[in-house]
Amino acid sequence: MNNPIKMEVGIEDCLHIEFEYNKSKYHLKDVIVGKIYFLLVRIKIKHMEIAIIKRETTGSGPHTFTENETIAKYEIMDGAPVRGESIPIRVFLAGYDLAPTMRDINKKFSVRYYLNLVLMDEEDRRYFKQQEITLWRKGEKSRKSQTASPHMPSHLVSAETGFPQGAAQNGPPSVPPDSGQLPTNSVTNIEDTPAPIEGMTREEGDGEGEKEGGPESD
């Protein structure tokens, strides 16, 4: 399944935001669409940015080596937000040299991707939250096998009636009635279950190499 990602995060009594991405799995030429919704703003936010981080892990046990690479970084907000404001997100993946997500290949190699949401206040303190996404390679569409048309050629004449096959004897060829009804597609509504508020991490850097956690005290 490819469910949307929706989570409410923030800092207790200071900042509550809700971010939503339309999917959790994207092909390499896909577009990430989402939005950030501000539920509570009591700190002075200067700007907000989103980054795509590629994390490669090799080795196992104490010999594990991890390397982070920032694939792309976008500023999605400049200036202080207000309560109830919604910020749209749209990131095109086609312009980047990406590889599919790989998890625990022979238990020694992994490639994972994260969306890193970073907010900076007027004192240059940075708050971030990472969310893992899955990238996959979309194969070429297979050619559809050509099937014979169910309609007979009009020049063929029936030996019994002397009329073209499929035609009425006393009139023009019969045409199946048009019902005028369009095919309907079934739509399934997915009810999102509200998730508890998770803490954002405050870090002097951009948080690319740190694990997620609760807010850190100065």
Side-chain angles (χ1 to χ4, degrees), residues 14-17 38-45 81-83:
C14 294
L15 177 68
H16 287 174
I17 64 174
F38 288 87
L39 303 174
L40 176 66
V41 182
R42 291 180 179 174
I43 57 178
K44 296 182 179 180
I45 301 296
V82 296
R83 180 180 178 182

Side-chain angles (χ1 to χ4, degrees), residues 2 23 25-32 93-94 98 134-139:
N2 196 1
K23 294 184 290 187
K25 301 176 183 178
Y26 300 88
H27 63 78
L28 300 183
K29 306 298 181 183
D30 214 336
V31 181
I32 299 174
L93 301 179
L98 301 171
T134 300
L135 299 186
W136 56 280
R137 190 183 303 279
K138 189 175 184 180

Side-chain angles (χ1 to χ4, degrees), residues 85-200:
E85 188 170 358
S86 180
I87 307 297
I89 298 174
R90 187 177 295 268
V91 180
F92 294 84
L93 301 179
Y96 302 101
D97 185 16
L98 301 171
T101 296
M102 292 177 279
R103 293 187 176 92
D104 300 329
I105 305 300
N106 292 330
K107 297 184 178 180
K108 291 186 178 181
F109 179 72
S110 297
V111 178
R112 299 172 184 264
Y113 294 91
Y114 297 85
L115 292 177
N116 192 37
L117 182 67
V118 182
L119 292 86
M120 180 180 292
D121 63 14
E122 292 186 347
E123 298 179 1
D124 291 336
R125 292 178 297 190
R126 301 167 71 92
Y127 306 87
F128 69 92
K129 185 67 177 180
Q130 290 186 1
Q131 177 65 46
E132 183 176 4
I133 59 174
T134 300
L135 299 186
W136 56 280
R137 190 183 303 279
K138 189 175 184 180
E140 297 181 358
K141 295 182 179 179
S142 60
R143 296 182 179 179
K144 297 181 179 179
S145 59
Q146 297 182 354
T147 58
S149 174
H151 303 288
M152 296 297 293
S154 60
H155 65 275
L156 296 182
V157 178
S158 172
E160 297 179 356
T161 62
F163 288 88
Q165 293 185 4
Q169 296 185 13
N170 296 324
S174 60
V175 179
D178 186 4
S179 63
Q181 296 181 355
L182 297 177
T184 58
N185 296 326
S186 60
V187 179
T188 303
N189 294 325
I190 301 177
E191 182 177 358
D192 296 326
T193 303
I197 298 177
E198 294 193 10
M200 298 186 72

Side-chain angles (χ1 to χ4, degrees), residues 3 20 31 72 76 139 148 197:
N3 296 327
E20 181 177 0
V31 181
I76 58 177
I197 298 177

Side-chain angles (χ1 to χ4, degrees), residues 3-19:
N3 296 327
I5 300 173
K6 187 175 183 179
M7 186 177 298
E8 187 174 333
V9 299
I11 304 168
E12 186 176 1
D13 297 331
C14 294
L15 177 68
H16 287 174
I17 64 174
E18 181 181 83
F19 66 82

